[in-house]
Amino acid sequence: MFREPVSGDDISNQSAHGWYLAIYLHVYVFFGVNLGLQLFVGIVVNNFNAHKPDHSALLTISQKRWTDLIQRISLTRPIKQPPEPRHSHFRLILYKMVVSKYYRHVSTASILLNSLTFVIPWSEEADLETATRVMMSLSIVISVYFILQEVCLKMLAFGPVKYFHSWRNTLDFLLGLFSVAYIISALLYLIKPETIKIHSVTDFAVVLAVFKCFTILGKYSIMQNLSITVAQTIFKIVPLIGVFLATILSYAFAAIVLFSDVRTGEEFNFSIVNFNGIFVTLALIVRVMTGEDWHHLLRDAMVQEPFCSEADGNCGNQPAALIWFISYYVLVTFIFLNIIVAVVLENFSIFYNEDDTELNHALVSDFKQKWHHFDKNATGFISASKIKLFLRMLRLQRLYTYQPVENGLKERRPCNNVLSDALLIREMAEELNKDQ
């Protein structure tokens, strides 16, 4: 109705009835897609959650809080941070600097600034040559700063041996070595452009910038928790992922049988947009999964005479195309992907659920900080002789309260019984002396 060519005499007649067509489209999109389809997907996701193998839907509220607490504890990891070098005042200053949050913020900002140098394409063309040299020079400066900040200063603060105890520092060291190679290649291009190709330098810089961006995941606890949550979620939904991949392969083989001989059209071509091979088909159905112009592919798969030849066998199949594309889009895009996202969000919300006052995110962070005093190497274990002192530190934490101050804010202050409990203070001092 909307795609038929209209002559000049009929334009006024069509425009006179266009208002109710526009209303129809908006009403259909709102009720049919935004409400109807989303409600259907929500019901499917809820049924999936209700029939999980752990039978969590049958638990009481208290039991559900307990299982969430266990999962939240399983996501917690000890802090991997070398002890303070108190024997050297200079290294102690460097240590406090590199472990501060502002140091992480500056490092993150430098990595993001390095990524922004690729906003302008690096090219040897006359109109982009000057900008390319400026951006490449800025990238070299940022790479030198990365080496100094993430390798040299941290190695001086932590020591050469303890620096490599963390896998993040090891990754930063490897990126520092590659950054040295990139700096040499970029300087060679800036000094003698004929010695190295611009495409080689650009590809090297882009790959290095991508890996540097991944290091941001290890700098912040929220990013670490997200990575751990995603990893644990993948292991939990391995059967679902298996069904998901089997469904994609089934649709890929069906598409090869149904549409491999269809002639080229608006989207179909003989290069990469076709169903003539398994790898090309998988790439194409992933594109359909994202919703990119899948309706154009549907129209090409439904082509009929006179735009094709039944004798040559290059016409489409209208019923098969409608069933294949619509069922695939609804099943994979709206159901499978939403179920996977729902499981990830559920696991991520467990860790950041502040409704549970018994173990919120602030208490977990404080527990990790206190645990780090007894477990410097982040092994997850402490000696039995230190448990008593550790529990006393946690007890001292519970004696702190939040008291109202000006402007309606709250300030964390110790109760009077903390200072008046001389026995507690004396026993903690004695245990500290024993530990030393």
Side-chain angles (χ1 to χ4, degrees):
M1 176 173 57
F2 299 102
R3 299 185 59 87
E4 290 293 333
V6 182
S7 62
D9 297 335
D10 296 332
I11 292 178
S12 58
N13 295 329
Q14 290 285 347
S15 60
H17 304 286
W19 63 270
Y20 67 82
L21 298 178
I23 293 176
Y24 167 79
L25 284 177
H26 285 81
V27 171
Y28 172 76
V29 169
F30 180 77
F31 287 99
V33 179
N34 295 337
L35 289 182
L37 192 57
Q38 293 300 326
L39 287 175
F40 169 73
V41 173
I43 293 173
V44 173
V45 173
N46 289 333
N47 288 334
F48 173 80
N49 293 330
H51 294 84
K52 284 183 178 179
D54 56 359
H55 305 290
S56 58
L58 303 178
L59 300 178
T60 63
I61 297 177
S62 300
Q63 292 172 338
K64 186 66 170 62
R65 289 184 62 189
W66 172 255
T67 57
D68 292 346
L69 179 63
I70 296 300
Q71 294 184 38
R72 190 182 305 179
I73 294 175
S74 67
L75 291 174
T76 306
R77 296 293 183 272
I79 300 175
K80 288 188 176 182
Q81 185 173 301
E84 295 181 354
R86 296 187 176 276
H87 59 279
S88 174
H89 181 68
F90 174 71
R91 288 184 57 192
L92 183 60
I93 295 175
L94 289 179
Y95 179 89
K96 291 181 178 180
M97 181 180 67
V98 299
V99 299
S100 64
K101 62 179 181 179
Y102 302 104
Y103 193 85
R104 295 196 305 269
H105 295 340
V106 173
S107 176
T108 303
S110 65
I111 293 174
L112 296 178
L113 181 60
N114 187 28
S115 303
L116 292 178
T117 58
F118 302 104
V119 173
I120 299 176
W122 293 8
S123 176
E124 294 179 339
E125 298 179 1
D127 55 341
L128 294 175
E129 183 177 3
T130 303
T132 299
R133 287 181 169 271
V134 172
M135 292 298 176
M136 191 177 296
S137 302
L138 179 60
S139 178
I140 292 174
V141 173
I142 297 175
S143 298
V144 173
Y145 177 77
F146 177 84
I147 296 172
L148 293 175
Q149 185 183 33
E150 298 296 336
V151 179
C152 298
L153 291 180
K154 284 188 176 181
M155 193 170 290
L156 286 174
F158 299 150
V161 177
K162 295 179 180 178
Y163 173 82
F164 292 101
H165 284 178
S166 173
W167 64 268
R168 289 176 293 172
N169 293 337
T170 305
L171 178 59
D172 290 337
F173 181 78
L174 295 176
L175 291 176
L177 294 179
F178 285 110
S179 297
V180 172
Y182 162 71
I183 292 171
I184 295 174
S185 62
L187 289 176
L188 284 177
Y189 174 79
L190 293 176
I191 297 173
K192 293 183 178 180
E194 65 275 4
T195 59
I196 189 171
K197 295 181 179 180
I198 182 63
H199 300 292
S200 301
V201 180
T202 303
D203 295 341
F204 195 4
V206 170
V207 173
L208 196 60
V210 170
F211 279 100
K212 287 180 181 179
C213 289
F214 278 114
T215 61
I216 299 177
L217 297 176
K219 296 181 184 296
Y220 300 95
S221 59
I222 185 173
M223 295 293 184
Q224 296 178 16
N225 295 330
L226 177 61
S227 303
I228 296 173
T229 302
V230 173
Q232 291 190 354
T233 302
I234 291 175
F235 287 108
K236 288 182 179 180
I237 59 175
V238 168
L240 178 62
I241 294 177
V243 175
F244 177 70
L245 295 177
T247 303
I248 290 180
L249 287 175
S250 301
Y251 272 92
F253 291 130
I256 293 175
V257 174
L258 294 173
F259 312 121
S260 60
D261 296 329
V262 177
R263 63 176 295 277
T264 59
E266 182 180 351
E267 292 290 334
F268 282 2
N269 55 59
F270 292 114
S271 56
I272 59 174
V273 185
N274 56 67
F275 294 101
N276 294 333
I278 183 62
F279 296 107
V280 179
T281 302
L282 288 175
L284 187 56
I285 64 176
V286 169
R287 169 184 167 180
V288 176
M289 186 194 310
T290 61
E292 180 186 354
D293 293 337
W294 69 274
H295 53 285
H296 295 305
L297 297 171
L298 171 61
R299 186 170 61 251
D300 287 346
M302 295 170 56
V303 63
Q304 296 293 320
E305 290 184 338
F307 303 103
C308 61
S309 175
E310 290 287 353
D312 297 336
N314 58 6
C315 288
N317 190 329
Q318 289 186 353
L322 287 171
I323 294 174
W324 190 96
F325 277 92
I326 296 177
S327 63
Y328 174 81
Y329 193 69
V330 172
L331 183 63
V332 175
T333 303
F334 284 101
I335 297 180
F336 275 112
L337 290 183
N338 279 282
I339 289 176
I340 294 175
V341 171
V343 175
V344 174
L345 291 179
E346 180 185 6
N347 290 337
F348 190 65
S349 63
I350 288 174
F351 191 85
Y352 286 96
N353 184 15
E354 298 295 340
D355 295 337
D356 190 358
T357 56
E358 296 296 327
L359 188 66
N360 52 34
H361 185 61
L363 290 178
V364 171
S365 299
D366 183 78
F367 183 91
K368 291 171 65 176
Q369 292 291 338
K370 287 181 170 58
W371 182 274
H372 177 68
H373 291 290
F374 302 91
D375 185 17
K376 300 295 184 181
N377 296 324
T379 60
F381 299 93
I382 60 176
S383 62
S385 61
K386 298 179 180 179
I387 293 178
K388 186 177 180 181
L389 179 59
F390 175 69
L391 293 178
R392 287 190 178 276
M393 292 182 65
L394 294 180
R395 176 189 172 188
L396 187 64
Q397 167 69 22
R398 294 181 63 87
L399 294 178
Y400 278 75
T401 58
Y402 289 89
Q403 300 179 3
V405 293
E406 297 179 357
N407 301 325
L409 301 177
K410 291 184 178 181
E411 182 181 4
R412 190 164 169 268
R413 298 176 180 174
C415 297
N416 295 329
N417 57 353
V418 175
L419 301 178
S420 61
D421 194 349
L423 178 62
L424 173 62
I425 301 299
R426 186 172 67 254
E427 289 181 353
M428 291 183 65
E430 292 177 356
E431 291 171 7
L432 283 173
N433 294 330
K434 291 178 182 179
D435 185 66
Q436 293 176 356

